[in-house]
Amino acid sequence: MTPTADLGIFLASLAAGLLGALAGVGGGLLVVPALTILFGVDIRLAIGASIVSVIATSSGAAAAYVRDRLTNLRIGIFLELATTSGAVAGAVLAAGVAPVLLYLLLGVVLLLSAAMQVTRLGEELPPSGPSSPLAVRLALGDSYPDLRLRRDVTYVPKRIPLGFTLMAIAGLVSGFLGIGSGALKVIAMDAAMRLPMKVSSATSNFMIGVTAAAWAGVYIGRGDVDVRIASPVALRVLTGAFLGARLLGRLSNTTVRRIFVPVLAAIGTETILHGLRVGP
Amino acid sequence: MTPDRFRLVVSWVLTIGVTLSAGLIALGFAGSFIVGWRGSLLGDPHLDTPITDFGGLLAGLSALRPQAIGQLGLIVLVATPVMRGELAGRIRARPGCDLRLHHRGRAGHPADRCRSHPVGDIKDAIPTDAGAVVAGCEAAHG
């Protein structure tokens, strides 16, 4: 282990926590390549550490987001029904589907979503319009205190069935590929349900921990979690997540989207490379 | 339980879980510098089981092995979102609990709004001002 590699993994873990907390994604994007390339860690152990880092990001950031009312608990719990069902179905059906095709398909979807997000870069809040009757029936609307706009922002989600379906697909992908699919969750809430970007990110953060915890149990059982690797990564990711959680409330929704789009594009590219077995 | 209290409880569960796990992981990490991951702070002989094996956790903890302390920290971390989900499910399953939107600004405490709009009445739940919050009706119906 060289000091340069040590510094690299320190920065990568910190950045993973920070970006994960801000963008509502797990952060495995940075952790896995850093561990495999800089440290030469076995890919199995790197993914095991990455799963732990997703939980660290989720729990570390969500504690603050829930307290500060950025997380919509009701939507999060409601959509967890879809992601959990999808994940179980994905895990059951995984044996019959070629993962390469799924990786490629997911990568293309993420890249297309990133391209679509570019057209909305300047959108601070979703345009007002008629709310979904289902959202009213389930009382999914809420408000959050926006420190940047210096007022409470009230919102009611739209297109609930579409959002629920996308969440089920996100869960299915999680079950198939063993990933958190936080990016898909943010897209479902932001693009389909038209929640404010910060709420989408915070609620995704709240949700990804549960999916990752289920996978972590599998990885621990398989002997893929090495305490020597996962421990320092978890501590650094937690630090990054705390910093990210303090930042998110102060950022504008457009800034969060500007952070999310390149992260989304990077995840999409990495997913395609993984499907083509080029990357780690 | 009011929605604000529900939020607070969920936030506290996450905070306690993360703090506890970070403390344990840091303790294991610090211990590894003293006796190594496989060593024992009580001076017991080094382990020869795989480092990825969580099976000897209890025995490792009784010997104060950094490996076991770190593994316990990771398990607490993994269990934190599970505990949060379990807690949310239990609270929501309690009789009379109906999380919905209410106007804090006009009706005072969310529980007061609950009394005037019992379970089943959803029309007034649509937020029209900035004071809308999710309210749990259990307190109001209790």
Side-chain angles (χ1 to χ4, degrees):
Chain A
M1 182 190 311
T2 65
T4 314
D6 203 22
L7 180 67
I9 197 70
F10 172 79
L11 292 176
S13 305
L14 202 66
L18 186 69
L19 276 182
L22 290 176
V25 298
L29 167 79
L30 291 170
V31 171
V32 175
L35 284 174
T36 50
I37 296 166
L38 293 175
F39 263 181
V41 170
D42 186 314
I43 182 77
R44 285 185 313 110
L45 300 179
I47 293 174
S50 161
I51 288 284
V52 170
S53 79
V54 173
I55 300 170
T57 305
S58 169
S59 298
Y65 294 158
V66 169
R67 186 193 60 226
D68 297 342
R69 288 171 47 211
L70 278 170
T71 302
N72 187 318
L73 284 178
R74 195 173 172 94
I75 288 179
I77 294 168
F78 170 66
L79 293 178
E80 271 174 0
L81 294 174
T83 54
T84 311
S85 312
V88 170
V92 170
L93 299 171
V97 181
V100 175
L101 280 178
L102 276 172
Y103 274 114
L104 294 178
L105 187 64
L106 176 63
V108 170
V109 168
L110 292 177
L111 285 178
L112 284 176
S113 303
M116 284 165 61
Q117 288 279 339
V118 171
T119 62
R120 296 172 53 210
L121 274 182
E123 182 185 295
E124 176 59 28
L125 290 172
S128 57
S131 61
S132 157
L134 198 57
V136 177
R137 181 176 291 272
L138 297 171
L140 297 177
D142 201 351
S143 69
Y144 74 95
D146 197 309
L147 297 178
R148 185 81 177 189
L149 298 174
R150 298 183 181 189
R151 65 180 172 92
D152 267 20
V153 173
T154 304
Y155 59 90
V156 179
K158 302 172 180 67
R159 300 186 289 191
I160 305 298
L162 177 62
F164 195 84
T165 307
L166 284 176
M167 281 293 177
I169 293 171
L172 201 65
V173 170
S174 293
F176 271 129
L177 303 179
I179 59 173
S181 62
L184 279 180
K185 291 181 173 104
V186 176
I187 292 168
M189 285 184 276
D190 172 63
M193 296 169 71
R194 306 312 305 265
L195 296 178
M197 191 63 197
K198 286 197 271 192
V199 175
S200 303
S201 173
T203 307
S204 168
N205 247 309
F206 177 76
M207 295 172 67
I208 55 177
V210 175
T211 318
W215 278 111
V218 175
Y219 278 84
I220 287 174
R222 282 205 308 233
D224 289 350
V225 176
D226 186 333
V227 68
R228 293 170 302 184
I229 300 166
S231 294
V233 167
L235 283 179
R236 291 155 185 177
V237 166
L238 268 176
T239 310
F242 278 127
L243 291 174
R246 291 183 71 86
L247 259 179
L248 184 73
R250 291 171 172 77
L251 297 177
S252 65
N253 283 297
T254 50
T255 306
V256 176
R257 196 184 304 282
R258 284 189 180 119
I259 294 168
F260 178 64
V261 170
V263 170
L264 192 59
I267 295 175
T269 308
E270 192 192 37
T271 307
I272 289 175
L273 292 178
H274 188 94
L276 297 171
R277 303 199 184 282
V278 177
Chain B
M1 180 176 285
T2 63
D4 285 343
R5 191 164 176 79
F6 178 63
R7 274 184 183 282
L8 210 60
V9 169
V10 171
S11 176
W12 268 107
V13 168
L14 292 170
T15 305
I16 290 169
V18 167
T19 308
L20 185 63
S21 66
L24 286 166
I25 291 170
L27 202 64
F29 200 52
S32 74
F33 284 107
I34 301 168
V35 294
W37 282 106
R38 324 295 300 279
S40 162
L41 293 170
L42 298 180
D44 289 6
H46 273 54
L47 281 178
D48 53 1
T49 53
I51 190 102
T52 54
D53 183 11
F54 281 62
L57 188 66
L58 289 179
L61 285 173
S62 62
L64 287 184
R65 295 189 188 280
Q67 172 186 340
I69 298 169
Q71 285 177 336
L72 180 64
L74 292 178
I75 287 176
V76 171
L77 185 63
V78 170
T80 298
V82 180
M83 290 296 295
R84 180 280 284 169
E86 176 71 15
L87 177 85
R90 279 177 187 268
I91 290 174
R92 281 166 53 80
R94 288 164 82 174
C97 181
D98 178 47
L99 300 175
R100 62 178 60 227
L101 287 164
H102 296 280
H103 303 282
R104 184 187 271 158
R106 291 178 190 168
H109 193 276
D112 298 335
R113 189 73 173 180
C114 257
R115 287 191 189 93
S116 58
H117 297 275
V119 177
D121 181 0
I122 58 162
K123 286 180 181 173
D124 290 335
I126 303 170
T128 54
D129 61 23
V133 294
V134 177
C137 292
E138 187 186 348
H141 293 288

